[in-house]
Amino acid sequence: MRVYVLLFNAGTENEGIHTIQMGDRNKVLIFEDEDDATRFGVLLEAQDFPTATVEAIDEEEIKEFCISVDYDWELVGSGELAIPPENNVDQTDWQIEADQPEEPDFVSPELDDIRKRLEGLL
């Protein structure tokens, strides 16, 4: 089954997946419906997040990714209204691409694997 996730800086070396931090755990929201994922992205923008890209991915593949990085996940059913938490983390694992200073190319094996999986879906 195809599902949808939110990515920041999609297709770049600085790509990040949107997660919700619950205590010391990260949770990926997996949307059944593309419109619901887009709506959630707009709500994030209203909280001063950068624009997120909605990416389609195989449900089993994103679950495998979550297991591999020790993230939890939550499936948001079609028509469910997911609302971002009021508080956001102060520091993300990625930075807005425009604010990123020039650095030498660094490829994380974990990110490279995710990128290859996502590119394989195209």
Side-chain angles (χ1 to χ4, degrees):
M1 179 169 110
R2 300 295 274 176
V3 293
Y4 302 89
V5 295
L6 297 174
L7 298 178
F8 297 101
N9 301 322
T12 71
E13 295 294 320
N14 191 27
E15 188 173 74
I17 190 166
H18 177 268
T19 63
I20 295 176
Q21 194 168 32
M22 308 287 288
D24 64 345
R25 304 283 302 160
N26 286 302
K27 177 172 60 174
V28 174
L29 294 181
I30 303 171
F31 295 86
E32 284 185 340
D33 186 77
E34 184 176 13
D35 289 340
D36 294 336
T38 301
R39 187 176 306 113
F40 189 84
V42 170
L43 292 173
L44 288 175
E45 282 185 63
Q47 290 184 341
D48 296 326
F49 268 83
T51 301
T53 302
V54 175
E55 291 284 329
I57 189 167
D58 180 75
E59 182 178 5
E60 290 307 312
E61 193 169 336
I62 191 64
K63 287 179 179 178
E64 287 174 19
F65 163 74
C66 290
I67 291 168
S68 74
V69 294
D70 196 29
Y71 286 175
D72 297 326
W73 68 82
E74 178 181 335
L75 184 64
V76 179
S78 183
E80 289 182 32
L81 179 60
I83 299 175
E86 290 182 25
N87 298 322
N88 298 316
V89 295
D90 294 326
Q91 183 67 30
T92 61
D93 292 338
W94 54 271
Q95 298 301 317
I96 299 172
E97 193 66 22
D99 294 342
Q100 189 73 3
E102 286 295 318
E103 295 179 12
D105 286 339
F106 172 76
V107 178
S108 163
E110 182 180 302
L111 287 175
D112 194 41
D113 183 51
I114 296 166
R115 188 175 297 106
K116 286 178 184 174
R117 286 195 231 163
L118 289 173
E119 288 172 354
L121 297 173
L122 300 177

